[in-house]
Amino acid sequence: MKESAKELRWISDKREARRSVLEARASGKRIGLVPTMGNLHVGHASLFRQARGETDVVVATIFVNPIQFCPGEDFEAYPRTPKEDREICNAAGVDIVFAPDVAEMYPTGACTRVQVGELEEPLCGGNRPGHFVGVATVVAKLFHIIPADAAYFGAKDYQQVRILRQMVEDLDFPVEIRVCPTVRESDGLAMSSRNRYLSQEERRQATILKRSLELADALLQQGEKNATRIRQRMVDLIQTMNRAEVDYVEIVDPDSLQGVQSIEGPVLAALAVRFGKARLIDNAVLQRGQ
Ligand code: AMP
């Protein structure tokens, strides 16, 4: 990884962050925004690099957003590693990190929320009520604080991207949403900050997620069009692992996120599975003949 020539700026004040970005824009620079919750890994770095290649000033945000965690979830335990994050940002050519604290983002009395209709209900919305309202609200705020030309998100969080695209369209945010492919470990497990919750045995078993997506693809290529049957084969495969607890496995329309019966065009196979303390998600867009 190339060390960036310029000094990384670490800003926690939202007015200062906005001022810095507006100054860069005024001098004709294109701004790329990469929202994260920190504990950065190679997946996040791939977003920074894509932003680096397409824009002039890369702004990463690091904020563990309390309102997107449901009661009983891992908000307190979520790993916070600012020192290591700084190194990854430096190495990936990030120019500015905006890392506010909770009071900076949600001062006393803040109560406005952004809700993106029915797209928030299926898939992760079912198991994590209120999660996407929290995501849409914080990203809307970040779009105002960091007026970017393009914002970069990972395909791993497919439903998040779908919801944010809708929000951008509905609320006329002047920002282009860019989606980057999921970065995986060599055995196929999608990189995630939550992988560190896995024990050695759970980590070994978690490779079943990617393999279940590959099974779905193989069945589709063999001519199986019945989504229920494919879904059941995926569940059966995942359940060969004794530490796996399935939250959901679904085959849905990639646009509406509603379940499909007979697979004619592209579909999204999406899943969330718990291994011990870790709730892992993964997905693949599948199409016959690919
Ligand atoms: P997070 O810090 O988990 O909220 O993720 C911040 C951004 O990084 C989101 O847009 C994620 O979709 C993206 N991301 C997380 N893991 C990966 C990965 N393995 N590959 C690509 N992007 C990722």
Side-chain angles (χ1 to χ4, degrees):
M1 281 194 268
K2 192 164 79 59
E3 195 73 24
S4 87
K6 267 190 296 135
E7 183 74 3
L8 175 71
R9 290 187 61 196
W10 193 278
I11 302 175
S12 53
D13 180 287
K14 60 188 174 189
R15 283 167 197 84
E16 186 186 342
R18 189 170 152 81
R19 207 168 36 243
S20 305
V21 170
L22 287 175
E23 271 169 26
R25 280 188 81 121
S27 64
K29 301 251 167 56
R30 240 177 97 74
I31 314 295
L33 167 65
V34 186
T36 82
M37 297 206 298
N39 189 235
L40 302 175
H41 49 66
V42 176
H44 297 110
S46 74
L47 271 54
F48 299 152
R49 290 222 181 70
Q50 184 151 343
R52 176 80 280 156
E54 296 177 358
T55 61
D56 305 308
V57 175
V58 178
V59 183
T61 69
I62 297 181
F63 180 58
V64 185
N65 176 32
I67 70 166
Q68 74 184 68
F69 288 77
C70 303
E73 286 189 347
D74 57 344
F75 173 67
E76 302 293 343
Y78 198 86
R80 288 148 171 99
T81 51
K83 199 163 153 277
E84 292 83 352
D85 290 353
R86 185 185 284 267
E87 281 166 22
I88 291 180
C89 287
N90 254 320
V94 171
D95 298 290
I96 298 174
V97 171
F98 174 53
D101 64 18
V102 172
E104 182 72 356
M105 290 299 276
Y106 302 111
T108 307
C111 56
T112 303
R113 296 288 183 267
V114 178
Q115 178 153 25
V116 190
E118 290 177 1
L119 289 170
E120 292 182 347
E121 287 165 20
L123 306 179
C124 287
N127 304 92
R128 305 187 73 189
H131 167 66
F132 288 115
V133 171
V135 170
T137 302
V138 79
V139 173
K141 285 171 69 66
L142 292 173
F143 284 170
H144 287 306
I145 297 166
I146 312 291
D149 297 275
Y152 295 79
F153 297 92
K156 183 167 84 80
D157 295 86
Y158 185 101
Q159 186 173 16
Q160 169 171 288
V161 172
R162 177 68 191 87
I163 286 169
L164 294 176
R165 275 194 194 287
Q166 193 68 45
M167 179 186 82
V168 162
E169 193 179 320
D170 293 351
L171 298 184
D172 302 297
F173 281 99
V175 62
E176 182 189 349
I177 300 280
R178 305 282 291 140
V179 184
C180 308
T182 301
V183 178
R184 297 176 181 281
E185 303 286 356
S186 55
D187 61 7
L189 179 66
M191 288 190 182
S192 163
S193 304
R194 290 188 168 101
N195 291 351
R196 64 159 57 194
Y197 299 153
L198 297 167
S199 69
Q200 222 179 358
E201 177 58 15
E202 289 160 356
R203 169 67 186 81
R204 191 188 66 75
Q205 295 194 7
T207 57
I208 201 68
L209 302 191
K210 175 70 162 65
R211 282 190 279 146
S212 76
L213 295 168
E214 286 165 357
L215 172 65
D217 187 42
L219 292 169
L220 186 63
Q221 302 315 327
Q222 286 159 25
E224 179 62 88
K225 285 183 166 187
N226 184 308
T228 309
R229 278 204 290 268
I230 294 182
R231 183 193 164 278
Q232 192 56 52
R233 290 283 301 277
M234 294 173 73
V235 171
D236 291 346
L237 181 66
I238 293 168
Q239 287 177 339
T240 60
M241 298 295 168
N242 64 359
R243 304 281 175 87
E245 277 177 67
V246 173
D247 254 10
Y248 68 81
V249 174
E250 302 284 355
I251 298 195
V252 300
D253 179 277
D255 191 48
S256 70
L257 308 184
Q258 295 301 310
V260 298
Q261 296 303 318
S262 177
I263 302 176
E264 304 303 335
V267 288
L268 174 76
L271 50 82
V273 177
R274 291 173 198 272
F275 288 90
K277 285 195 290 240
R279 179 182 181 277
L280 306 181
I281 59 171
D282 206 343
N283 70 78
V285 176
L286 307 177
Q287 186 164 21
R288 186 91 199 277
Q290 282 202 324

